[in-house]
Amino acid sequence: MREIAIIGIGQTPVCENWEQSLREIAVDAIFSALQDARRETADGLFLGNMLSGLIGSQENLGALVADWAGFHGKEAFKIEAACASGAAALRLAMMAVGSGEMESAIAVGIEKMTETKGADTTAALATAADADYETIHGLSFVGINALVMQRYMYECGWKHSDFAPFSINAHANATHNPFARIQQTITWNDYQRARMIATPINLLDASPIGDGSAALVIVPINSLKRPALGRPVVKIIASTAATDTLAIHDRHDLLWLSAAEKSTKRAYAQAGITPNDIDLFELHDAFTIMAALSLEASGFAERGQGLRLGLEGEITISGRIPISTRGGLKARGHPVGATGVYQIAEVVQQLRGEAGSTQIPDARIGMAQNIGGSGATIITHILQSE
Amino acid sequence: MREIAIIGIGQTPVCENWEQSLREIAVDAIFSALQDARRETADGLFLGNMLSGLIGSQENLGALVADWAGFHGKEAFKIEAACASGAAALRLAMMAVGSGEMESAIAVGIEKMTETKGADTTAALATAADADYETIHGLSFVGINALVMQRYMYECGWKHSDFAPFSINAHANATHNPFARIQQTITWNDYQRARMIATPINLLDASPIGDGSAALVIVPINSLKRPALGRPVVKIIASTAATDTLAIHDRHDLLWLSAAEKSTKRAYAQAGITPNDIDLFELHDAFTIMAALSLEASGFAERGQGLRLGLEGEITISGRIPISTRGGLKARGHPVGATGVYQIAEVVQQLRGEAGSTQIPDARIGMAQNIGGSGATIITHILQSE
């Protein structure tokens, strides 16, 4: 496959956006990415989205957004992999450009979740779980994650407050991100006193939903003239996806994200690196427990020891493996089908040196990991600045 | 891009299937395709589906079906492009294998529409139209097609019964297809006396919904040893997609499928052929009007003259351009996200000489065209037997 570069990124602020429709938000991100890339258009559109049908009564979303973006007649597809839809859209866009079928493509993630017109958002999010064996029993998506977190605390001997550093770090970083949903720090006390949602997950363990869109323009790297746009070229040096059972009771080990292990192992091999070479890691902290499990299965901590990285300060901007550097899902917000694309855009900001107050010094290699369901679809991308 | 061959096909009978779940039906088609290809597994799964969220309360469908099919850990994605989801899944699977990221893939289309658990199927299907500008006014999907058909009759001077040959031909061919939903002939009288659904679309202008799944196994053609499986190798010699506005009032010409024109022109160029070289055409006869428009925009008739092919007997098995040779959407049935894959499987049957009583003599080149919305996403594939 041809090597791929990301030459443009666009993001809309994650918020409660009742002023703009689904298509308008998506097109804002697309235009912003095209402007950043100094391009007028691209050959195809790959759109990551989970809930447009259930919440917006709108499918055929690829064609809809392509038309609104002025991509008259061009091919466009919606890709769905629950909360991993965004990274899935990038992976399929990469294969399209990598195969030579297109000379450029846009991967855009879009979700509009707060204006529901009567739809039940909790029920809609639960479609990421197994409808026949989990949801049918009344389990919500946060409920499933709560079961995993409870078991983790019991089996690995952690107390609830040990998860606090993930949320505190994410919120601290989000204060410097204009696109973040909650640009506000939280304290250890805030975390401990937050309202319980589904024991042991409290309000500050969980990421907020939101409306938002992020977009990327990709091209074959050998099509670029150097120096390109007066800034480092960011290339994708690994792209992998793996799956696991949707139902958590079907897993061999409830506390091990086997799809994360599979996808990162393959990604490290593709990139020819080890976890030690990663300068930052935009992981999928939809819930604090998922941050811990992701760090462990991706090779940054032993099983059951992911919390230690937080407690020892290793996940901050100056730590050994900075995570959620622009706020993560926890504070940037989690417009589900868009999240995977936000993560990549944030890694690109870091690798270009455009991350402002949360800039990792000399960041050269960044990883993003997007999770659909409670570990059923896991997609990993590793990016490097030239 | 590497050249791609289809080495296995699988279909489940299109029916009202209340005995099997969504995942079970999909896996039946996948296993059947793998058995036909004499393979155990494939590297990735591309799943075309439109309504699993709205009707089945199930998203994250790629991982779900991958697990059920025993594709443990392998990557899997759901692709949505309304009723063109099936062909979209094949197109993206092709790019994955064509790019070298995979050595084999399965494209599977799946839809379970008749067991709705309270969901409103008509409302769910209307999500293929523009929610903000069409559906909001109470337009159903059949209503939109009725507007187009009415205008066509008025502008081009046809009467309702002139559409009858499309339905009569489809039903006649379906009597020889064990997977077809309605294996029953209809007469001119039946057509004229059928109950009106949305004037001028009557029951026999419209395709029946259904539950069903079809699957394809694809590999790079140069990975095959010859002779392969003791039958002709079927290769994909063109694959193209194009889009148009969702809302019909936004179109330059209501009676011209510009996305069909774009995608077929590109497809003929890719394959190096003209419409005269096509031995059969599995078109998207969701409504009789769509069959007419598809024939016209794809180069088989002048604008407004598609009906003539039916009236002159040119669309039957022995005609100049046989269509709906296994029953088409009209009689095989239209499980929306699966339809595009059924169409391809049917073309493969023809090119292998496995179409029994509806076999086109010496069929060598076949085309399939899958339409999402009333022309918003149109995907064309041309297949050739070696």
Side-chain angles (χ1 to χ4, degrees), chain B residues 170-257:
Chain B
H171 277 273
N173 291 338
T175 58
H176 307 283
N177 179 2
F179 302 110
R181 176 103 152 95
I182 307 177
Q183 298 171 36
Q184 199 177 319
T185 57
I186 61 164
T187 66
W188 201 282
N189 265 346
D190 294 334
Y191 177 82
Q192 283 186 296
R193 289 196 309 230
R195 191 158 54 87
M196 194 54 70
I197 305 294
T199 310
I201 291 181
N202 76 20
L203 191 65
L204 292 180
D205 286 303
S207 56
I209 63 168
D211 309 328
S213 180
L216 309 166
V217 183
I218 64 168
V219 297
I221 201 162
N222 61 17
S223 72
L224 293 175
K225 293 193 191 96
R226 299 297 197 289
L229 307 172
R231 63 189 180 208
V233 169
V234 175
K235 59 184 178 181
I236 304 176
I237 58 171
S239 170
T240 62
T243 56
D244 197 352
T245 68
L246 262 65
I248 56 171
H249 61 253
D250 282 335
R251 304 221 176 126
H252 178 65
D253 179 349
L254 182 65
L255 303 183
W256 188 253
L257 296 178

Side-chain angles (χ1 to χ4, degrees), chain A residues 371-383:
Chain A
I371 302 184
S374 47
T377 301
I378 303 194
I379 304 178
T380 305
H381 285 94
I382 304 178
L383 277 51

Side-chain angles (χ1 to χ4, degrees), chain B residues 25-326:
Chain B
I25 300 172
V27 166
D28 274 2
I30 292 169
F31 283 178
S32 167
L34 283 168
Q35 190 171 30
D36 184 50
R38 292 177 217 162
R39 299 252 173 162
E40 295 287 317
T41 186
D43 289 348
L45 193 64
F46 295 78
L47 198 140
N49 170 272
M50 176 182 177
L51 299 173
S52 71
L54 281 161
I55 291 183
S57 299
Q58 183 69 69
E59 293 292 355
N60 217 352
L61 203 60
L64 186 85
V65 172
D67 173 47
W68 210 253
F71 280 44
H72 299 302
K74 297 194 175 178
E75 60 187 312
F77 308 96
K78 165 174 161 175
I79 321 296
E80 188 278 324
C83 303
S85 301
L90 172 60
R91 174 138 177 78
L92 297 186
M94 270 188 74
M95 295 198 268
V97 176
S99 73
E101 280 288 282
M102 298 178 189
E103 287 306 311
S104 60
I106 286 185
V108 55
I110 166 69
E111 208 75 65
K112 188 162 159 64
M113 305 174 72
T114 72
E115 191 184 17
T116 61
K117 300 171 191 165
D120 178 340
T121 308
T122 302
L125 285 168
T127 62
D130 191 315
D132 295 342
Y133 296 95
E134 290 183 323
T135 326
I136 201 170
H137 299 296
L139 261 178
S140 68
F141 196 64
V142 58
I144 291 170
N145 282 274
L147 291 172
V148 178
M149 185 166 171
Q150 189 75 274
R151 182 74 197 171
Y152 185 89
M153 288 164 63
Y154 169 77
E155 203 174 303
C156 308
W158 298 102
K159 56 185 188 300
H160 181 255
S161 62
D162 295 331
F163 289 85
F166 292 129
S167 299
I168 293 169
N169 170 65
H171 277 273
N173 291 338
T175 58
H176 307 283
N177 179 2
F179 302 110
R181 176 103 152 95
I182 307 177
Q183 298 171 36
Q184 199 177 319
T185 57
I186 61 164
T187 66
W188 201 282
N189 265 346
D190 294 334
Y191 177 82
Q192 283 186 296
R193 289 196 309 230
R195 191 158 54 87
M196 194 54 70
I197 305 294
T199 310
I201 291 181
N202 76 20
L203 191 65
L204 292 180
D205 286 303
S207 56
I209 63 168
D211 309 328
S213 180
L216 309 166
V217 183
I218 64 168
V219 297
I221 201 162
N222 61 17
S223 72
L224 293 175
K225 293 193 191 96
R226 299 297 197 289
L229 307 172
R231 63 189 180 208
V233 169
V234 175
K235 59 184 178 181
I236 304 176
I237 58 171
S239 170
T240 62
T243 56
D244 197 352
T245 68
L246 262 65
I248 56 171
H249 61 253
D250 282 335
R251 304 221 176 126
H252 178 65
D253 179 349
L254 182 65
L255 303 183
W256 188 253
L257 296 178
S258 72
E261 182 187 4
K262 286 194 181 85
S263 85
T264 48
K265 274 193 174 164
R266 264 185 252 146
Y268 296 143
Q270 266 183 29
I273 62 169
T274 73
N276 289 330
D277 300 312
I278 307 281
D279 295 314
L280 73 145
F281 180 20
E282 290 302 335
L283 50 65
H284 193 93
D285 54 340
F287 301 98
T288 47
I289 178 65
M290 293 308 279
L293 297 181
S294 174
L295 283 167
E296 294 167 19
S298 304
F300 296 99
E302 294 298 309
R303 183 179 184 284
Q305 300 304 312
L307 300 198
R308 209 172 290 281
L309 290 166
L311 293 166
E312 292 170 357
E314 299 290 14
I315 59 170
T316 62
I317 295 299
S318 55
R320 182 159 67 84
I321 181 66
I323 66 171
S324 309
T325 71
R326 307 291 287 157

Side-chain angles (χ1 to χ4, degrees), chain A residues 18 32 35 62 101 107 127 167 200 226 256 337 351-352 362-363 381:
Chain A
W18 292 32
S32 168
Q35 190 170 30
E101 279 288 282
T127 62
S167 298
R226 301 295 199 287
W256 189 252
L351 300 185
R352 285 184 185 167
D362 304 320
H381 285 94

